[in-house]
Amino acid sequence: MGQDQTKQQIEKGLHLYQSNQTEKALRVWMRVLEKSADPAGRFRVLGCLITAHAEMGRYKDMLKFAVVQIDTARELEDPDYLTESYLNLARSNEKLCEFQKTISYCKTCLNMQGTTVSLQLNGQVSLSMGNAFLGLSIFQKALECFEKALRYAHNNDDKMLECRVCCSLGNFYAQIKDYEKALFFPCKAAELVNDYGKGWSLKYRAMSQYHMAVAYRKLGRLADAMDCCEESMKIALQHGDRPLQALCLLCFADIHRSRKDVQTAFPRYDSSMSIMTEIGNRLGLIQALLGMTKCWMIQKELDKALESIEKAQELAEGLGNKLGLLKLHCLCERIYRTKGQQRELRDHVVKFHECVEEMELYCGMCGESIGEKNNQLQALPCSHFFHLK
């Protein structure tokens, strides 16, 4: 298959993919990969396969194609191709919650400065790195990376990147409990979709609606949360976007739990966890297990709550997700206080404070810990943050 034929087939695959015929598109692209003798065409088709598998939540396949793409980039001996392939490798590892590897590949990208293409990719590299630092609960570095990604987005007038960074910043502030900012950023992302997103994939709209739903739930605006989450789920189902379906199911479960409707929440958590397990989203599994633990606690089933905590703790330790561990110690503290088991209670109080110290989650002004309750925060240029009050 020559250069022109390769191009035609790639375009044919893209057309099928955009009209939601994903499996047909994949077959076309795989045929190109097998038959094309054009390395640049092979590189491009691998990029299409990587994106498609990312959106379907087939992260292990995404990683497999990213590794093949690096070999193709080396064949082409072009720093731009190499940077792009390392970014895809970083993103694949980010999706599989291999955060240390993500950071390491992102650093490789930043050290391999080629031409203008590499410079345009820097924003995406910073975003991926920020998401990885957030997964490890290294908040200051995560914020630094997100701010950097936002600067790249503004300098290159890249509205899609800006939209993605706003969603990540929404997630960031939801985790450290500044719920006003957790809502502000995804609302900004939704505005960008409305103003510029006519030709964009619908996933941008779905993503911003999902992050708005999370913030609304945290603010106790459960009807708004439900509306946004339903809209996001509708798009996720239309597009076969498994990762987003899992997150929406988790959000639905959390909304039902907030309404104390535990019986409706449980099956949603189960469905969410089954997709998270299938795609390898261990960070999402921790969130779902935390929600289930709280449901068991509402029902006063403390032993079942401890079983969920044990599973979540194993995952959080494996990932290095310190915020997950902090929340688990906090729940254990409540359970053992109820059970009157003083020794275990003391043990978890100590571990809780160790986590706070490790994450440096306290205000430089008032000394109180950050992230215990909803509080407006202000970030300094050095990415340290403090209570606005």
Side-chain angles (χ1 to χ4, degrees):
M1 191 184 282
Q3 209 172 353
D4 290 342
Q5 211 183 343
T6 300
K7 261 187 194 159
Q8 279 170 357
Q9 289 300 304
I10 291 173
E11 290 308 320
K12 181 184 170 183
L14 279 169
H15 185 70
L16 287 165
Y17 187 66
Q18 278 152 7
S19 53
N20 258 351
Q21 301 177 61
T22 306
E23 292 303 330
K24 280 186 183 168
L26 292 180
R27 281 200 292 277
V28 170
W29 288 332
M30 286 305 289
R31 221 172 20 249
V32 174
L33 200 55
E34 282 158 26
K35 301 200 168 154
S36 175
D38 168 34
R42 284 170 59 80
F43 185 89
R44 191 165 168 227
V45 88
L46 283 160
C48 295
L49 286 163
I50 288 163
T51 303
H53 283 87
E55 291 191 358
M56 290 185 292
R58 297 181 190 166
Y59 298 143
K60 285 182 181 149
D61 290 329
M62 179 190 181
L63 179 62
K64 195 173 70 189
F65 289 119
V67 170
V68 178
Q69 196 187 39
I70 282 200
D71 294 337
T72 312
R74 288 206 175 104
E75 219 179 296
L76 287 156
E77 293 182 340
D78 181 321
D80 283 343
Y81 282 127
L82 209 51
T83 304
E84 191 180 325
S85 59
Y86 268 105
L87 170 61
N88 282 328
L89 197 54
R91 283 174 46 232
S92 311
N93 278 287
E94 179 205 319
K95 302 290 187 196
L96 286 163
C97 302
E98 295 286 354
F99 298 125
Q100 297 289 3
K101 286 184 187 172
T102 305
I103 292 162
S104 157
Y105 289 129
C106 285
K107 285 179 178 168
T108 304
C109 286
L110 295 173
N111 291 335
M112 277 194 315
Q113 291 309 350
T115 57
T116 47
V117 177
S118 299
L119 290 171
Q120 280 172 341
L121 290 178
N122 277 354
Q124 293 184 47
V125 175
S126 298
L127 174 59
S128 194
M129 205 165 175
N131 289 336
F133 278 126
L134 189 55
L136 295 168
S137 314
I138 304 173
F139 294 105
Q140 198 186 328
K141 284 190 172 168
L143 187 58
E144 265 171 44
C145 290
F146 293 146
E147 300 276 4
K148 208 178 278 182
L150 213 48
R151 278 200 299 278
Y152 280 116
H154 289 152
N155 293 342
N156 294 327
D157 199 27
D158 186 341
K159 302 295 181 195
M160 277 185 182
L161 175 62
E162 188 179 344
C163 179
R164 285 167 58 200
V165 178
C166 283
C167 287
S168 283
L169 279 165
N171 183 19
F172 174 88
Y173 282 108
Q175 288 193 29
I176 56 173
K177 297 194 178 179
D178 180 344
Y179 297 147
E180 287 195 21
K181 284 195 184 68
L183 180 61
F184 168 80
F185 282 106
C187 283
K188 173 85 178 126
E191 262 173 46
L192 288 164
V193 173
N194 287 337
D195 294 346
Y196 304 97
K198 280 207 167 45
W200 297 3
S201 151
L202 276 172
K203 74 171 181 187
Y204 287 93
R205 177 164 184 76
M207 207 165 52
S208 59
Q209 293 294 319
Y210 160 73
H211 285 287
M212 280 162 71
V214 170
Y216 278 134
R217 185 193 72 81
K218 302 261 190 194
L219 286 162
R221 293 169 59 178
L222 301 182
D224 290 330
M226 198 52 124
D227 289 346
C228 289
C229 200
E230 278 170 355
E231 168 136 13
S232 183
M233 185 58 144
K234 196 168 73 185
I235 297 170
L237 287 167
Q238 274 169 4
H239 283 254
D241 186 334
R242 302 284 282 162
L244 189 57
Q245 288 169 30
L247 290 172
C248 287
L249 283 163
L250 173 56
C251 189
F252 283 136
D254 284 339
I255 293 167
H256 293 305
R257 175 172 57 77
S258 296
R259 289 176 171 159
K260 299 282 185 282
D261 181 359
V262 173
Q263 295 314 319
T264 314
F266 272 128
R268 306 286 182 286
Y269 282 126
D270 279 332
S271 304
S272 171
M273 281 169 68
S274 114
I275 301 176
M276 303 266 194
T277 305
E278 170 204 317
I279 65 179
N281 182 354
R282 290 173 288 162
L283 203 52
L285 272 174
I286 296 169
Q287 302 302 126
L289 285 162
L290 276 163
M292 280 190 116
T293 302
K294 290 171 185 171
C295 283
W296 290 124
M297 287 167 76
I298 290 169
Q299 290 197 314
K300 309 234 183 322
E301 298 259 17
L302 300 185
D303 290 335
K304 284 186 176 164
L306 286 169
E307 276 172 37
S308 290
I309 284 175
E310 203 178 319
K311 287 180 198 161
Q313 192 169 344
E314 202 177 310
L315 285 165
E317 280 168 359
L319 291 186
N321 178 246
K322 297 184 195 78
L323 186 66
L325 287 169
L326 176 128
K327 289 178 176 178
L328 292 163
H329 292 312
C330 190
L331 292 171
C332 283
E333 196 185 310
R334 278 166 55 193
I335 291 170
Y336 288 121
R337 182 168 280 121
T338 307
K339 283 179 155 232
Q341 291 175 240
Q342 294 306 318
R343 197 166 58 93
E344 287 85 349
L345 168 65
R346 273 196 304 276
D347 188 31
H348 285 286
V349 170
V350 169
K351 284 179 178 161
F352 174 85
H353 286 293
E354 279 170 5
C355 283
V356 173
E357 288 285 322
E358 234 177 295
M359 289 189 284
E360 297 181 9
L361 267 184
Y362 39 80
C363 172
M365 301 286 178
C366 68
E368 284 177 24
S369 62
I370 283 170
E372 262 187 52
K373 55 180 186 289
N374 182 17
N375 252 319
Q376 279 185 277
L377 301 170
Q378 185 65 43
L380 293 167
C382 60
S383 298
H384 278 97
F385 31 86
F386 56 91
H387 288 125
L388 195 61
K389 66 171 195 258

